[in-house]
Amino acid sequence: MDLLNQYSDNNDPDSPIQNPNSPENSSPPRLLPSRSAAPKVDDTMLALTVADPKTLSKPIDPTQHAVAFNPTYDQLWAPIQGPSHPYAKDGLAQGMRNHKLGFVEDANIEPFLFDEQHNTFLKFGYAADPSASNYIGDFDALQKNNAASVYNMPHREQKKRRIEALKKEENDDQEEDNENENNNEEGVEIENPASEAWLLKNKKSPWAGKKEGLQGELTEDQKKYAEEYAKKKGEEKSGFGGEKVEAVKDKSTFHGKEERDYQGRSWIAPPKDAKASNDHCYIPKRLVHTWSGHTKGVSAIRFFPKAGHLILSAGMDTKVKIWDVFNTGKCMRTYMGHSKAVRDICFTNDGTKFLSAGYDKNIKYWDTETGQVISTFSTGKIPYVVKLNPDEDKQNVLLAGMSDKKIVQWDMNTGQITQEYDQHLGAVNTITFVDNNRRFVTSSDDKSLRVWEYGIPVVIKYISEPHMHSMPSISLHPNANWLATQSLDNQILIYSTREKFQLNKKKRFAGHIVAGYACQVNFSPDGRFVMSGDGEGKCWFWDWKSCKVFRTLKCHEGVCIGCEWHPLEQSKVATCGWDGLIKYWD
């Protein structure tokens, strides 16, 4: 009622608050209690501690969850009373343990004391027992040596040994003097070859005369054998991961009729009338031609830039071959310079030269027309991928992804290594230039993608997720906005080449089996189709917009490792496989 009166209208003259003489206002006014934001504290314990100072020395009960007063430092660290610690499962207090299961008494012996007793037991046959204050072993020797160890020998024993050593030296000197006297007496007999003294002095081993003289000159056969042996040793050293690499004589064979035609044009010159037939690409249906010249599998194929009238192939038979596409369809030239399988090849922008990388740890720079090796590069590691900078003014810059996790950059004019990009945790598989060749993307066996600024060995973007697999092949979309990556979980993933390099989750191409194989992924020139080989010898074609499988061709027996779309003839595709064949489809 009092609260209601407080909220009544103050202007009302009949209000009991305005009229103090009213009967309702006869009782004294009630005031509301003041409120404080501070929490209530139970000061009972504080009063007890003031009344009884002994309370401060009592330990705190560890089972209580709140302390109502400020305990002292001694009170906090006082020993816990009672038979066991409430938080120790084995009943031992936490302070009474130096081991996970309790307290372990320190009962070890110092190394010096152990060695002393060990050596004493080996020499005298007795030693002190570490577990008790007594001795073990030969008690007779213990009494004889008065329980002395090898390290605290009595003074008399040391004196006795010094005397014995002096006597031994005197005896040796006396024996030496006697020998000298005997030699003087027998001097005449030593000079006599018939005496025994001469035989004893000049006695030689049956093999003694073999080292008397060294042979001055080697014969021709010996020189030839020494050279072969040294060469063989050098090859063995290079085979075990040393810096040396095997040297193979570079040679090339031309298989065509003539290297220049009646007008003086080279055999690699593209046809003048070669141009794109139409703007749209079509999926091939039938086999047109088969090239068979490699004795082992084919690991990579590349069309001649812009024209596509020649196709270059890298074989596991250590050879690189170039084939005619437009006219005869025959092998035009074979390049032999590697001693092991060729892993990757790359044309220059004009096609007059190309690079080849082999498992013999060499990268060779060839002249396409003459077949001569212009230069050879090597770091002693296996190059997995070679790439030239696509800029016209940087055609002398070579980048190679190596087996030792590095991307090495050479200047081919000087032959010097100008940069090393060393951030990957596994062998580098691909190098792809993006963003107008200002950046490049690399993939590795460490299941990650890394984006680099050209010339700067710092990663500007690192893409690695727990669900990612290794990506042994990457291809750039013709519009340069997307990257197609061949993932070893049997799908092709699409990444943006913009600033964030994000995964496009809406585009995913699947159906083929590529787990365990570095099958090449590629685009049609107009960007409408995605293609890839697989481990069963098929070539798959997907529609870029709908991500649906458009067609599947059975191309090879075994793995179809590479596929290339012809740059001008929009409906023709070349494939290569581990069966050693290169097939041309229309």
Side-chain angles (χ1 to χ4, degrees):
M1 192 66 184
D2 295 333
L3 290 174
L4 293 174
N5 290 334
Q6 290 181 12
Y7 289 105
S8 63
D9 189 6
N10 292 334
N11 298 321
D12 187 5
D14 298 329
S15 172
I17 298 175
Q18 296 291 333
N19 189 7
N21 297 323
S22 63
E24 288 84 357
N25 201 22
S26 58
S27 60
R30 295 183 184 180
L31 299 177
L32 294 174
S34 61
R35 295 185 177 275
S36 174
K40 291 189 69 177
V41 179
D42 186 8
D43 54 354
T44 307
M45 198 68 189
L46 182 63
L48 290 175
T49 54
V50 173
D52 186 9
K54 294 182 179 179
T55 308
L56 293 173
S57 62
K58 291 182 181 180
I60 298 174
D61 185 8
T63 58
Q64 71 185 52
H65 298 287
V67 181
F69 64 99
N70 294 330
T72 63
Y73 178 84
D74 296 332
Q75 199 171 3
L76 282 173
W77 291 95
I80 297 169
Q81 296 178 352
S84 64
H85 193 287
Y87 297 116
K89 295 182 180 179
D90 50 7
L92 289 174
Q94 296 293 337
M96 289 294 294
R97 64 173 65 230
N98 57 10
H99 188 262
K100 186 178 179 181
L101 301 178
F103 180 73
V104 179
E105 186 179 356
D106 188 10
N108 67 321
I109 302 173
E110 294 295 328
F112 174 79
L113 298 177
F114 179 83
D115 292 341
E116 180 185 17
Q117 297 303 323
H118 178 68
N119 294 327
T120 302
F121 187 83
L122 293 177
K123 183 172 180 62
F124 300 127
Y126 63 87
D129 187 358
S131 62
S133 59
N134 57 1
Y135 286 86
I136 58 172
D138 188 357
F139 291 99
D140 295 336
L142 180 69
Q143 293 178 357
K144 181 180 178 182
N145 296 320
N146 197 14
S149 69
V150 291
Y151 293 161
N152 57 1
M153 195 175 294
H155 181 69
R156 63 177 182 277
E157 184 71 20
Q158 296 178 8
K159 186 177 179 181
K160 181 180 177 183
R161 293 195 177 187
R162 281 199 300 270
I163 293 171
E164 289 179 356
L166 290 172
K167 286 183 179 179
K168 187 176 181 183
E169 288 180 4
E170 291 176 0
N171 293 335
D172 292 342
D173 294 340
Q174 191 173 359
E175 289 178 3
E176 193 173 332
D177 294 340
N178 294 335
E179 286 179 2
N180 292 334
E181 291 177 3
N182 293 333
N183 290 337
N184 292 333
E185 294 174 358
E186 297 175 357
V188 180
E189 294 184 2
I190 289 174
E191 294 178 358
N192 184 10
S195 62
E196 293 183 2
W198 186 90
L199 290 173
L200 288 172
K201 185 178 180 182
N202 295 280
K203 183 172 68 172
K204 290 183 179 180
S205 167
W207 299 275
K210 301 241 177 182
K211 296 182 181 179
E212 286 181 358
L214 294 173
Q215 187 175 353
E217 289 291 333
L218 296 175
T219 63
E220 291 298 326
D221 293 340
Q222 288 174 334
K223 287 181 180 177
K224 185 178 179 182
Y225 177 78
E227 290 175 0
E228 290 178 356
Y229 182 76
K231 184 178 178 182
K232 184 179 178 183
K233 279 293 180 186
E235 290 177 357
E236 287 180 358
K237 283 184 180 179
S238 66
F240 287 102
E243 292 300 318
K244 294 182 180 178
V245 291
E246 298 180 28
V248 177
K249 187 177 180 181
D250 302 322
K251 57 182 180 179
S252 178
T253 306
F254 183 69
H255 306 290
K257 292 182 179 180
E258 50 189 1
E259 296 193 17
R260 295 191 175 273
D261 61 3
Y262 68 99
Q263 290 183 337
R265 292 178 300 185
S266 171
W267 62 274
I268 67 166
K272 291 185 177 181
D273 57 346
K275 59 181 180 179
S277 55
N278 50 38
D279 295 335
H280 284 278
C281 295
Y282 300 94
I283 303 295
K285 299 179 180 178
R286 61 189 179 90
L287 179 65
V288 177
H289 189 75
T290 301
W291 292 287
S292 59
H294 289 283
T295 57
K296 293 183 180 178
V298 181
S299 55
I301 52 174
R302 301 286 184 268
F303 273 111
F304 195 91
K306 299 177 183 176
H309 65 294
L310 299 171
I311 187 169
L312 191 70
S313 63
M316 298 179 187
D317 56 356
T318 74
K319 297 175 183 176
V320 179
K321 291 178 177 285
I322 191 164
W323 315 80
D324 184 22
V325 177
F326 275 7
N327 301 317
T328 61
K330 294 181 179 179
C331 179
M332 299 300 293
R333 188 179 278 278
T334 302
Y335 308 88
M336 293 166 284
H338 291 280
S339 60
K340 292 184 180 177
V342 185
R343 163 88 183 194
D344 192 25
I345 46 179
C346 177
F347 269 115
T348 57
N349 284 357
D350 57 1
T352 57
K353 301 174 183 63
F354 69 90
L355 290 162
S356 65
Y359 283 99
D360 59 354
K361 305 173 186 174
N362 283 328
I363 301 171
K364 292 186 180 290
Y365 189 43
W366 301 83
D367 187 290
T368 310
E369 181 182 358
T370 62
Q372 293 179 346
V373 174
I374 301 170
S375 52
T376 303
F377 309 94
S378 177
T379 62
K381 304 296 179 183
I382 300 174
Y384 281 179
V385 57
V386 286
K387 187 75 72 172
L388 284 170
N389 191 310
D391 287 339
E392 291 294 339
D393 58 341
K394 296 186 180 68
Q395 286 292 287
N396 62 320
V397 178
L398 157 66
L399 281 84
M402 314 301 286
S403 60
D404 63 346
K405 314 169 190 175
K406 295 180 181 178
I407 300 115
V408 184
Q409 179 178 314
W410 274 278
D411 183 353
M412 292 193 293
N413 293 340
T414 61
Q416 300 295 321
I417 295 177
T418 57
Q419 192 61 269
E420 281 189 355
Y421 307 85
D422 187 8
Q423 291 283 330
H424 275 293
L425 305 176
V428 182
N429 292 325
T430 64
I431 300 172
T432 309
F433 279 88
V434 297
D435 194 14
N436 294 325
N437 307 325
R438 289 178 296 184
R439 298 173 180 172
F440 62 92
V441 182
T442 59
S443 67
S444 167
D445 287 344
D446 61 3
K447 303 178 183 178
S448 71
L449 293 176
R450 293 172 199 253
V451 186
W452 314 76
E453 289 278 358
Y454 170 72
I456 303 174
V458 179
V459 174
I460 62 171
K461 181 69 176 179
Y462 170 59
I463 305 169
S464 180
E465 299 291 342
H467 57 78
M468 285 176 61
H469 288 67
S470 182
M471 299 175 182
S473 176
I474 295 180
S475 182
L476 183 66
H477 193 276
N479 65 11
N481 292 332
W482 305 100
L483 281 175
T485 62
Q486 183 79 270
S487 180
L488 286 187
D489 56 349
N490 299 327
Q491 59 181 346
I492 297 171
L493 304 176
I494 306 298
Y495 286 87
S496 168
T497 59
R498 304 295 174 88
E499 291 297 324
K500 294 185 178 180
F501 288 90
Q502 288 181 334
L503 174 67
N504 188 342
K505 297 181 180 179
K506 295 182 179 180
K507 286 193 179 296
R508 175 178 165 274
F509 305 91
H512 57 323
I513 307 296
V514 292
Y517 304 105
C519 296
Q520 181 184 354
V521 61
N522 219 323
F523 285 98
S524 61
D526 61 356
R528 291 175 56 225
F529 301 107
V530 181
M531 64 183 298
S532 169
D534 77 346
E536 298 177 349
K538 298 177 183 177
C539 187
W540 293 67
F541 297 88
W542 294 269
D543 183 58
W544 169 251
K545 287 187 177 180
S546 64
C547 300
K548 294 180 180 179
V549 178
F550 206 92
R551 184 169 297 155
T552 304
L553 295 175
K554 175 65 176 175
C555 299
H556 297 273
E557 295 294 330
V559 182
C560 177
I561 198 72
C563 54
E564 283 271 326
W565 212 293
H566 197 282
L568 295 181
E569 296 189 352
Q570 312 287 17
S571 62
K572 293 188 177 178
V573 168
T575 61
C576 66
W578 284 3
D579 55 0
L581 301 177
I582 305 162
K583 296 187 177 181
Y584 197 39
W585 303 82
D586 186 5

